[in-house]
Amino acid sequence: MLQDDLKLSHVAARVLADLTGIHVCMIAALAICVLHPGLISARMQLRPEDAVHYYVSVFLFLSLLFPGVFLLTGLYTHSGREGSRMVSLFRGVALSLLLFSIVSFALYRRQQTPQGYIALFCGLAVFSLALPRLVKAALQQKFQAKSAAIVRRPSSDETVLILGGAGYIGSCLVRKLLAAGRKVRVMDSLIYGDYSLHDVIGHPNLQLQVGDCRKLQDLVAAARNTDAIIHLAAIVGDPACELDPQASREINYAATRMLIEVAKGNGNCRLIFSSSCSVYGATDLLMDEYSDVLPISLYAQTKVDSEEALLEAHSADFHPVILRLATVFGLSYRTRFDLIVNLLTAKAHSEGTITIFNGTQWRPFIHVQDVANGICQALDAPLDVVSGETYNLGDSRMNFTLAQLAERVLAEFPKTRVEYVENADRRNYRVSFEKIYNQIGFECRWTLEDGIREIKRAFESKFITDYRDARYSNLQFLKLCGTPLCKDELDRHLIAALTNAPAPARRSAAIWAPSTGAVRR
Ligand SMILES: NC(=O)c1ccc[n+]([C@@H]2O[C@H](COP(=O)([O-])OP(=O)(O)OC[C@H]3O[C@@H](n4cnc5c(N)ncnc54)[C@H](O)[C@@H]3O)[C@@H](O)[C@H]2O)c1
């Protein structure tokens, strides 16, 4: 709420600054015409009373036109990189000045007001609106370079704990950290097996602890002598969570609450939590970290509740960092084919037909290697920058509708038949990733096309043969084997108490109703 207020006041300040600039330019242009008519053109002669009359008559129009057009052209929203913000600026300024010139010319052509002043006003307005923004962008860039340069240097003795390190994302991250010379401890209950870590088990800098994050003793042992925690362990995906809602809430939410207490007791200051952009649910707006969340599934609700618990626990000694991941794609050491880019590519290759449900819906995408890069950047970023912050992890250039995704799959598999179908899935979110770009300089290196081609090659080289194998799908695997239960009685009581305890005050505009799966407002 506080953040929303800040955002509103930020926009209000920008509107006020632009309005002041516009009026100063208008007054300056009229003053020049009165005081130095021959300065620019002989046709700029203006009497003081005409100037005052003219200014009073256009005051309201001027005050409404510029902020209105700027608002409509997206100048006051957070979308886009610095470059596209500049494009919005010039589009907004050009359109406003054009409209203003047309209206002025139409209304005042028979009066004493010289038309030359309009050109003068336009010149001054462009200068006054663009210059402060250009200076700000230059300063921001300088600041960014500085903050990127003061990346924390990890000591070689630091051990990073990865909960869920044997999963799709974790298995890439483990290798990235090992390659960077870091000591890594993985704790994972190995629901899907340990094959994703086979070739690194035995690495001198890797410890593997098989354990359940709902079990207090396992968490305490895992967190001992570690400096930072990356929390990836979860039942991942909407359908997988719905299989056993109680177990999903225990693992995805209650275990996070237990972890917070263990981490605080252990002195682990930095805890990176993998949330999801699915917290934004169904919306046509461009969502940033200050937007209201709208979880429309149990999975998304557990992420929102965990985020709240983590932010509530934020203190001078405990520094949660929340990363809301875009939808992941690409090959990993535990590749998943229950993710849309991977699945469509596999189907296009294996069956020659793909089905697109609700093609106009938006999703942000990110390659699994980029996720690992982003987590490493969050791990090494200065604590005073990232502590207690929430970031969307992705790249503003990687928002696509599902129909656009289908086009990219088609480009690689031109003979594919595409079926467009509508169903009840309402998930639709387009996300701004400006904050993570501006604050820690994160941007994606992998495009959608790169990921599609990578998977295509994996099929062509027979590295992957049957994408329908249950090990590639959380839902299919859990249907076969069941969601693991919490075995120890004491842990069961503890985790039940944490699961049922009310989550901290929610920021969400709507919450998921467990009994019906419907959204309550
Ligand atoms: N893959 C995506 O598209 C995506 C998008 C947004 C967010 N995320 C988040 O990123 C994280 C990792 O996702 P992933 O795609 O690697 O999923 P994954 O299912 O491949 O990995 C999850 C890992 O957690 C482990 N795990 C599950 N329950 C556990 C428990 N009780 N104790 C210990 N370990 C347990 C599993 O064995 C598995 O290795 C999750 O928190 C997920 O919500 C993923």
Side-chain angles (χ1 to χ4, degrees), residues 163-170 187-193 211-214 231-237 251-252 273-277 299 303 323-329 334 336 339 474 484:
L163 299 173
Y168 176 53
I169 294 168
M187 189 189 92
D188 198 301
S189 57
L190 301 179
I191 299 183
Y192 311 107
D212 190 324
C213 64
R214 290 168 292 182
H231 184 24
L232 304 173
I235 299 299
V236 183
I251 296 172
N252 292 12
F273 176 70
S274 57
S275 184
S276 164
C277 284
Y299 172 63
K303 293 295 181 188
L323 301 178
R324 291 178 178 162
L325 277 52
T327 303
V328 189
F329 64 92
R334 184 203 165 232
R336 289 176 49 194
L339 295 165
N474 289 359

Side-chain angles (χ1 to χ4, degrees), residues 318-395:
F318 179 66
H319 304 275
V321 184
I322 291 164
L323 301 178
R324 291 178 178 162
L325 277 52
T327 303
V328 189
F329 64 92
L331 276 193
S332 138
Y333 302 85
R334 184 203 165 232
T335 299
R336 289 176 49 194
F337 282 102
D338 52 1
L339 295 165
I340 187 153
V341 178
N342 297 0
L343 180 64
L344 291 181
T345 309
K347 278 182 172 291
H349 176 270
S350 310
E351 288 148 23
T353 304
I354 58 175
T355 307
I356 300 294
F357 293 98
N358 315 315
T360 54
Q361 290 178 350
W362 288 91
R363 291 282 189 292
F365 295 102
I366 184 168
H367 192 277
V368 63
Q369 293 289 352
D370 280 327
V371 176
N373 290 335
I375 293 174
C376 290
Q377 277 184 239
L379 192 64
D380 292 339
L383 210 51
D384 56 346
V385 174
V386 296
S387 170
E389 292 292 334
T390 300
Y391 296 98
N392 295 326
L393 180 59
D395 192 308

Side-chain angles (χ1 to χ4, degrees), residues 82 86 132-142:
E82 204 47 62
M86 283 300 150
R133 286 178 165 91
L134 287 171
V135 171
K136 189 177 155 210
L139 287 175
Q140 258 178 355
Q141 237 171 23
K142 208 170 161 191

Side-chain angles (χ1 to χ4, degrees), residues 100-121:
F100 181 75
S101 307
I102 292 170
V103 172
S104 291
F105 187 73
L107 292 181
Y108 298 98
R109 90 188 125 159
R110 288 203 199 96
Q111 293 181 22
Q112 285 308 304
T113 322
Q115 301 308 327
Y117 93 92
I118 293 183
L120 184 57
F121 166 64

Side-chain angles (χ1 to χ4, degrees), residues 95-352:
L95 192 61
S96 316
L97 290 175
L98 187 69
L99 286 173
F100 181 75
S101 307
I102 292 170
V103 172
S104 291
F105 187 73
L107 292 181
Y108 298 98
R109 90 188 125 159
R110 288 203 199 96
Q111 293 181 22
Q112 285 308 304
T113 322
Q115 301 308 327
Y117 93 92
I118 293 183
L120 184 57
F121 166 64
C122 291
L124 289 173
V126 169
F127 190 68
S128 88
L129 292 168
L131 189 71
R133 286 178 165 91
L134 287 171
V135 171
K136 189 177 155 210
L139 287 175
Q140 258 178 355
Q141 237 171 23
K142 208 170 161 191
F143 172 75
Q144 253 172 42
K146 207 169 146 198
S147 75
I150 52 168
V151 162
R152 194 178 66 106
R153 267 186 198 289
S155 114
S156 56
D157 288 337
E158 282 184 16
T159 298
V160 179
L161 169 63
I162 308 178
L163 299 173
Y168 176 53
I169 294 168
S171 54
C172 285
L173 179 63
V174 165
R175 286 163 174 87
K176 206 150 279 246
L177 289 171
L178 289 176
R182 306 286 274 260
K183 292 186 174 153
V184 178
R185 182 177 301 152
V186 167
M187 189 189 92
D188 198 301
S189 57
L190 301 179
I191 299 183
Y192 311 107
D194 67 357
Y195 68 93
S196 62
L197 296 178
H198 268 172
D199 59 316
V200 281
I201 290 176
H203 190 290
N205 282 348
L206 176 69
Q207 301 167 30
L208 173 63
Q209 178 188 329
V210 182
D212 190 324
C213 64
R214 290 168 292 182
K215 204 167 155 52
L216 185 58
Q217 300 91 318
D218 287 353
L219 274 186
V220 171
R224 193 170 292 139
N225 300 326
T226 58
D227 301 279
I229 300 177
I230 299 164
H231 184 24
L232 304 173
I235 299 299
V236 183
D238 294 353
C241 275
E242 296 296 348
L243 273 183
D244 186 340
Q246 175 66 16
S248 302
R249 252 193 101 62
E250 285 175 9
I251 296 172
N252 292 12
Y253 166 60
T256 309
R257 296 192 65 174
M258 193 146 89
L259 176 65
I260 292 169
E261 300 311 320
V262 171
K264 285 199 313 198
N266 194 53
N268 291 114
C269 63
R270 189 180 305 228
L271 195 159
I272 297 175
F273 176 70
S274 57
S275 184
S276 164
C277 284
S278 66
V279 298
Y280 297 122
T283 171
D284 290 325
L285 301 174
L286 179 73
M287 305 304 273
D288 67 17
E289 291 82 352
Y290 307 111
S291 309
D292 273 348
V293 292
L294 183 70
I296 55 174
S297 67
L298 168 61
Y299 172 63
Q301 186 66 56
T302 62
K303 293 295 181 188
V304 170
D305 290 345
S306 295
E307 286 187 8
E308 296 292 346
L310 284 156
L311 293 181
E312 180 105 331
H314 178 218
S315 71
D317 305 316
F318 179 66
H319 304 275
V321 184
I322 291 164
L323 301 178
R324 291 178 178 162
L325 277 52
T327 303
V328 189
F329 64 92
L331 276 193
S332 138
Y333 302 85
R334 184 203 165 232
T335 299
R336 289 176 49 194
F337 282 102
D338 52 1
L339 295 165
I340 187 153
V341 178
N342 297 0
L343 180 64
L344 291 181
T345 309
K347 278 182 172 291
H349 176 270
S350 310
E351 288 148 23

